[in-house]
Amino acid sequence: MIIRPATADDAEGMATVQNEIFAAGLRSAPTDQDTVMNHYIANHHRIQCVVAVDDDGGLLGFQSLQLSTGDNPYGIAKGWGIIGTHVSPRAARRGVGSALFRATLAAAQDHGLRDIDASIGADNALGQAYYEAIGFRTYRTTHDRVCKRYEVA
């Protein structure tokens, strides 16, 4: 598995991953290449977006880290990182999420972040377990989200 920065050429594969997650019932809506491009790859608050690819170049998942400006739908404090992890169900339990987070954590440290938020759907037990396993801890909940915090060392 190779972890590398996401590029515009990855938008189709990233949308496919999110749509596989949707088809598995683990995401609330499907997506498209333009949305992926705008929200992850070309987002002006982007700190980093990395992809995991297999030996054949197939996209297994991706992880986004953005800087919160305080103006976001999740109520995340200004200056915190906002993380999003998307791993194809066909790549589950292969260490993709852990490998992505190692790269993301290095970027957070390089950027001088102190805290990273993961806002996870309250009904997404798999996502909550993933973030808990890599060191995130619940710091608040809303009617539809469990918000976990990682303190960057």
Side-chain angles (χ1 to χ4, degrees):
M1 172 176 22
I2 297 167
I3 307 297
R4 62 167 175 75
T7 69
D9 291 339
D10 294 313
E12 180 180 0
M14 293 166 69
T16 297
V17 164
Q18 286 193 318
N19 289 329
E20 289 171 346
I21 295 167
F22 170 72
L26 301 171
R27 181 176 167 82
S28 61
T31 194
D32 58 41
Q33 290 181 45
D34 289 339
T35 301
V36 167
M37 191 69 190
N38 293 329
H39 192 74
Y40 301 107
I41 298 171
N43 186 301
H44 61 278
H45 298 297
R46 171 185 165 170
I47 294 172
Q48 176 173 274
C49 186
V50 290
V51 295
V53 296
D54 62 21
D55 293 338
D56 297 323
L59 207 138
L60 302 170
F62 67 96
Q63 192 165 69
S64 170
L65 180 64
Q66 299 177 11
L67 181 64
S68 173
T69 61
D71 180 25
N72 59 74
Y74 307 113
I76 300 166
K78 183 177 181 177
W80 280 38
I82 302 171
I83 194 171
T85 305
H86 311 273
V87 175
S88 171
R90 64 184 156 72
R93 305 258 184 229
R94 292 177 42 190
V96 175
S98 297
L100 289 166
F101 187 63
R102 284 191 292 275
T104 297
L105 181 56
Q109 291 167 330
D110 290 348
H111 198 77
L113 292 181
R114 294 180 58 179
D115 300 285
I116 303 171
D117 172 274
S119 292
I120 309 133
D123 60 348
N124 185 348
L126 187 62
Q128 291 177 45
Y130 161 71
Y131 283 109
E132 195 72 25
I134 61 172
F136 282 72
R137 298 296 175 254
T138 302
Y139 72 97
R140 70 182 170 103
T141 59
T142 69
H143 71 284
D144 65 343
R145 298 254 172 220
V146 174
C147 302
K148 293 186 177 287
R149 171 186 181 189
Y150 187 93
E151 294 183 47
V152 180

